Amino acid sequence: MKQDIQTRKDVHFLVRSFYKKIRAHEILGPIFNTIITDWESHLDLLTDFWETQLFLKRKYYGNPVTAHQEVDVKMAHTITSEHFGLWLNLWFETLDELFEGETTWIAKNRAQKMSTMLYMQIYQHRKNKS
């Protein structure tokens, strides 16, 4: 029986497992592997982000909207809603493989809301720049 996400160690395991899939993905891998040059630091940052999201422990102080807008600029405005859908499907798949429970559901729910919001912010940023 799987357990729920309970600790930073669980979050770190989730983030590492998930981004291993992302890096190998035929569509998402080239984007992430182009943008991210220091994977260890990035995985620590994402662990902070998700620990903040799931346990309400303020560890992440970045701006995900700006970060994703910058990625879209670097990728010549080629990021689409399909990319976010692929990301979300892998996130759900990884969660379902590793965990179950209320915090796992929260991780799915927050990711779904965030993916929609981030794509809308990228789209709006494009409109404002043209």
Side-chain angles (χ1 to χ4, degrees):
M1 183 168 162
K2 295 178 222 162
Q3 294 190 354
D4 204 356
I5 303 166
Q6 298 174 13
T7 64
R8 179 178 176 86
K9 186 176 176 184
D10 292 340
V11 174
H12 187 69
F13 180 59
L14 168 62
V15 166
R16 275 201 176 277
S17 300
F18 173 66
Y19 280 97
K20 182 177 180 183
K21 291 180 182 189
I22 290 287
R23 293 176 78 179
H25 192 271
E26 64 181 303
I27 295 171
L28 298 176
I31 297 168
F32 281 83
N33 291 317
T34 296
I35 298 298
I36 299 165
T37 57
D38 180 354
W39 273 99
E40 287 307 311
S41 293
H42 195 67
L43 294 173
D44 287 342
L45 180 72
L46 292 169
T47 299
D48 289 346
F49 175 82
W50 281 105
E51 188 176 16
T52 298
Q53 290 295 312
L54 299 176
F55 303 134
L56 304 177
K57 292 181 181 178
R58 185 67 187 220
K59 298 239 175 150
Y60 176 79
Y61 295 94
N63 185 334
V65 171
T66 302
H68 286 81
Q69 289 170 338
E70 290 171 2
V71 167
D72 185 56
V73 169
K74 289 178 184 174
M75 299 306 295
H77 305 295
T78 58
I79 303 299
T80 68
S81 59
E82 178 186 4
H83 293 110
F84 282 92
L86 293 169
W87 183 95
L88 200 57
N89 285 338
L90 284 175
W91 181 250
F92 278 33
E93 176 185 293
T94 306
L95 281 163
D96 288 342
E97 288 170 358
L98 302 176
F99 300 101
E100 66 183 8
E102 184 178 351
T103 305
T104 303
W105 180 86
I106 291 168
K108 290 178 180 180
N109 190 293
R110 295 251 167 94
Q112 193 164 21
K113 288 179 180 182
M114 262 185 288
S115 67
T116 301
M117 180 273 297
L118 288 171
Y119 183 69
M120 294 308 297
Q121 291 292 328
I122 285 173
Y123 181 77
Q124 194 63 40
H125 186 252
R126 286 180 192 168
K127 283 181 65 174
N128 291 340
K129 294 294 179 184
S130 50

